[in-house]
Amino acid sequence: MLASLPMYDRPELTRAHGAYWALIRASLEKRGIDAPKQLTPNGLGIAFWTDPTLVLSQTCGYPYRTSLKDKVTLVGTPDYGVTGCPPGYYRSCFVVRAGDARADLAAFGDARFAFNELGSQSGFVAAQTEAARYGFQLDNRVETGAHRRSAAAVANGQADIACLDAVTWRFIQMYDDVADQLDVLTMTSPTPGLPYICALSIDGAAVFSAVNEALSALPVEHKNALMIKRIVPLQPADYPSLDQEAGVG
């Protein structure tokens, strides 16, 4: 069996993730669902997420919409209490170097844009959707491979602007010195958050119940460290295709 919680995995959260998974695993086994003792480090990617033995993982909204919706079971969506968002939703923040005189996104049409990867809802898709409202795309760009590296690229002058998952930005502010060199320019619109998924053969409602029970039992210090408030029963229809979201068709 496979399981992972890869989306906000960083060394400072190892203990909290371990405690969280131990409680989820115990709750799953109470419901007759076998689960691995340990999470798979860096367990992500389409092949991992579509493995028929997947008990639980967290994916990004973009691959869920475009590649996974019919191949996995949507368990639910953790709510991180992101300001300005409904439960289970999140958004991204555009960050620029501290002191940059440009006042709004419209002034960054030709700017160097750092992004984590093309398949990222928070780092790329949301940014281009927001830029389109101003009549341009962020075409002068550099791919960094991670939100933290995008933030560093802006701070050290390799790029002028980046779009960061708001939850990741909180962790950067807490743990990375680079945050002191950055300002938030503006925020994107809310979108459904990063969903928990499991294999099609597994009872998603039972997994939801197990996660909910685990969150209730998770010690406050770990719950605060992970920033998870609750799990929300968002449905596949809450994750529209990109054309539907844009009002096409």
Side-chain angles (χ1 to χ4, degrees):
M1 308 299 288
L2 295 176
S4 68
L5 293 171
M7 287 297 141
Y8 300 114
D9 188 17
R10 52 182 299 154
E12 297 88 352
L13 303 179
T14 298
R15 285 183 60 249
H17 271 134
Y20 185 31
W21 175 244
L23 289 168
I24 293 174
R25 181 172 178 267
S27 294
L28 288 169
E29 292 186 342
K30 282 169 52 178
R31 291 161 174 80
I33 300 174
D34 291 333
K37 290 184 179 180
Q38 304 294 331
L39 295 168
T40 299
N42 300 313
L44 73 169
I46 300 301
F48 185 90
W49 288 323
T50 56
D51 190 289
T53 69
L54 183 70
V55 177
L56 182 69
S57 187
Q58 186 175 24
T59 184
C60 177
Y62 182 78
Y64 177 73
R65 296 180 190 199
T66 59
S67 303
L68 297 172
K69 189 179 273 192
D70 298 327
K71 299 175 183 176
V72 299
T73 298
L74 176 61
V75 172
T77 305
D79 175 40
Y80 295 90
V82 177
T83 301
C85 295
Y89 280 59
Y90 78 139
R91 63 203 309 191
S92 301
C93 52
F94 283 100
V95 297
V96 300
R97 275 187 303 283
D100 192 307
R102 286 168 282 191
D104 56 32
L105 186 60
F108 285 82
D110 297 323
R112 186 74 160 161
F113 169 56
F115 68 100
N116 55 335
E117 59 177 290
L118 292 171
S120 171
Q121 173 66 34
S122 57
F124 186 80
V125 177
Q128 299 292 15
T129 299
E130 197 67 25
R133 295 190 172 98
Y134 292 85
F136 66 88
Q137 291 289 277
L138 293 158
D139 291 329
N140 180 12
R141 59 197 190 218
V142 55
E143 185 170 357
T144 66
H147 281 306
R148 292 172 70 186
R149 289 199 283 270
S150 295
V154 175
N156 65 30
Q158 292 179 318
D160 300 303
I161 189 169
C163 194
L164 311 178
D165 171 341
V167 180
T168 298
W169 173 238
R170 285 186 195 165
F171 288 129
I172 290 173
Q173 289 176 296
M174 290 177 66
Y175 299 119
D176 298 328
D177 293 340
V178 71
D180 294 336
Q181 303 170 56
L182 302 171
D183 287 334
V184 174
L185 178 73
T186 189
M187 307 290 289
T188 66
S189 299
T191 191
L194 284 65
Y196 283 171
I197 58 171
C198 63
L200 285 174
S201 61
I202 295 177
D203 183 351
V207 178
F208 180 97
S209 179
V211 172
N212 191 50
E213 182 177 83
L215 276 173
S216 297
L218 188 64
V220 172
E221 64 169 310
H222 295 319
K223 195 169 183 178
N224 289 343
L226 297 175
M227 300 187 188
I228 303 176
K229 308 301 181 184
R230 64 187 69 82
I231 183 170
V232 180
L234 295 188
Q235 301 299 310
D238 294 314
Y239 291 83
S241 70
L242 298 182
D243 283 348
Q244 288 172 323
E245 188 171 65
V248 178

